[in-house]
């Protein structure tokens, strides 16, 4: 049981390049989330999904797109990277019921630098 | 003004001390309150969860919520070096989608 995994772990991009971050969970969770963490800012919600085929905007969605074609995967895309998107990105998942209903399970993070 | 304010520290205390971590918030609609612990270069993990006002205890950890003051606290008793981490408060208005709003995080070091 791997939990929540994120690919890649590190990435350096040049301004204007595009990339996709992959989040995968093997816990059959309905809810999935993408956050970014910046120094002095805590975690901020970018986009989230309440189930397969659904996505919704969070607090800071501009410059990002997401897709949830399969229940276990949640992809975060940067179409044209900017230096302001340099951050650590965390994915999380959460079940729709049961004893862990209140808990978001986080992945290990992806460190992205945009030059 | 941020919706959730948390003193970023850093906070350094000797082993065995009682630690108090706090957050204030401005949105009176918040009803679900959480504390997450994040070790260096790792993802956050849930430490405590409380609903509405009151206290909740789990071993050496106690979470308090005072909705009238819009103030939440996490107390750590008999602190250990393994408690050294960043502690993030988080809260949400409804439980369905659980759109969490996090504080900035407090970096805590327990010195042996």
């Amino acid at each position: 049981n791997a939990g929540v995994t994120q690919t890649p772990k590190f990435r350096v991009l040049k301004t204007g390049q595009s990339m996709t971050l992959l989040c995968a969970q093997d816990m059959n969770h309905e809810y999935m989330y993408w956050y970014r963490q910046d120094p002095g800012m805590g975690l901020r919600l970018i986009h989230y999904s309440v189930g397969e085929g659904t996505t919704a905007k969070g607090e800071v969605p501009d410059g990002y797109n997401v897709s949830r074609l399969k229940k276990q995967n949640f992809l975060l895309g940067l179409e044209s990277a900017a230096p302001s998107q340099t951050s650590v990105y965390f994915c999380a998942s959460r079940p729709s019921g049961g004893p862990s209903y209140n808990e978001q399970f986080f992945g290990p993070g992806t460190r992205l630098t945009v030059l | 003004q941020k919706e959730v304010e948390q003193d970023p520290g850093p906070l350094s205390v000797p082993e065995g001390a009682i630690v108090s971590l706090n957050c204030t918030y401005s949105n009176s609609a918040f009803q679900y309150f959480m504390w997450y612990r994040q070790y260096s270069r790792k993802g956050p993990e849930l430490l405590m969860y409380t609903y509405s006002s009151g206290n909740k205890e789990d071993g050496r950890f106690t979470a308090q919520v005072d909705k009238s003051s819009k103030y939440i606290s996490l107390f750590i008793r008999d602190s250990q070096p393994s408690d050294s981490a960043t502690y993030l408060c988080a809260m949400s208005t409804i439980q369905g989608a659980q759109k969490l709003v996090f504080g900035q995080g407090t970096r805590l070091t327990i010195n042996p």
Side-chain angles (χ1 to χ4, degrees):
Chain A
N1 197 349
V4 179
T5 58
Q6 293 183 232
T7 308
K9 290 185 170 52
F10 304 92
R11 187 72 186 269
V12 178
L13 287 180
K14 294 181 179 178
T15 297
Q17 287 185 320
S18 63
M19 77 163 295
T20 300
L21 282 68
L22 170 64
C23 176
Q25 52 96 4
D26 61 1
M27 297 174 283
N28 200 35
H29 287 172
E30 287 294 332
Y31 299 98
M32 295 188 76
Y33 309 83
W34 275 108
Y35 294 90
R36 59 178 291 174
Q37 186 174 33
D38 303 294
M41 299 291 289
L43 280 85
R44 291 181 291 169
L45 182 64
I46 304 171
H47 286 279
Y48 65 98
S49 169
V50 301
E52 181 179 310
T54 75
T55 63
K57 294 180 180 180
E59 181 185 352
V60 288
D62 293 343
Y64 305 95
N65 56 75
V66 287
S67 64
R68 182 116 182 254
L69 298 179
K70 293 183 179 181
K71 186 177 183 179
Q72 63 268 33
N73 295 337
F74 196 27
L75 279 64
L76 179 70
L78 286 73
E79 289 186 348
S80 179
S84 61
Q85 293 178 305
T86 294
S87 188
V88 181
Y89 292 85
F90 287 100
C91 175
S93 71
R94 175 175 153 257
S96 58
S100 298
Y101 176 63
N102 300 312
E103 180 174 1
Q104 292 189 21
F105 294 81
F106 283 82
T110 294
R111 293 183 174 271
L112 175 66
T113 301
V114 183
L115 302 175
Chain B
Q1 182 187 2
K2 289 177 66 68
E3 233 177 337
V4 179
E5 296 279 359
Q6 183 178 3
D7 185 343
L11 182 62
S12 182
V13 302
E15 183 176 354
I18 296 175
V19 177
S20 172
L21 304 169
N22 310 295
C23 288
T24 59
Y25 62 93
S26 58
N27 187 349
S28 58
F30 285 138
Q31 295 194 67
Y32 301 88
F33 304 92
M34 282 138 270
W35 286 94
Y36 278 81
R37 179 175 61 193
Q38 184 178 23
Y39 290 113
S40 182
R41 306 240 165 193
K42 301 288 186 183
E45 55 183 356
L46 183 66
L47 192 59
M48 298 284 285
Y49 165 85
T50 53
Y51 168 67
S52 194
S53 285
N55 292 2
K56 185 174 183 179
E57 189 173 321
D58 184 2
R60 296 184 295 109
F61 299 89
T62 299
Q64 286 186 352
V65 174
D66 182 349
K67 291 188 71 179
S68 63
S69 301
K70 297 190 181 68
Y71 188 87
I72 70 170
S73 300
L74 177 71
F75 297 96
I76 307 174
R77 293 185 301 279
D78 187 24
S79 55
Q80 304 294 311
S82 58
D83 296 328
S84 297
T86 295
Y87 289 80
L88 299 140
C89 64
M91 44 199 82
S92 67
T93 56
I94 59 172
Q95 196 58 335
Q98 202 189 57
K99 294 168 61 178
L100 291 178
V101 180
F102 282 84
Q104 297 95 312
T106 299
R107 189 170 179 179
L108 173 66
T109 300
I110 308 298
N111 301 302

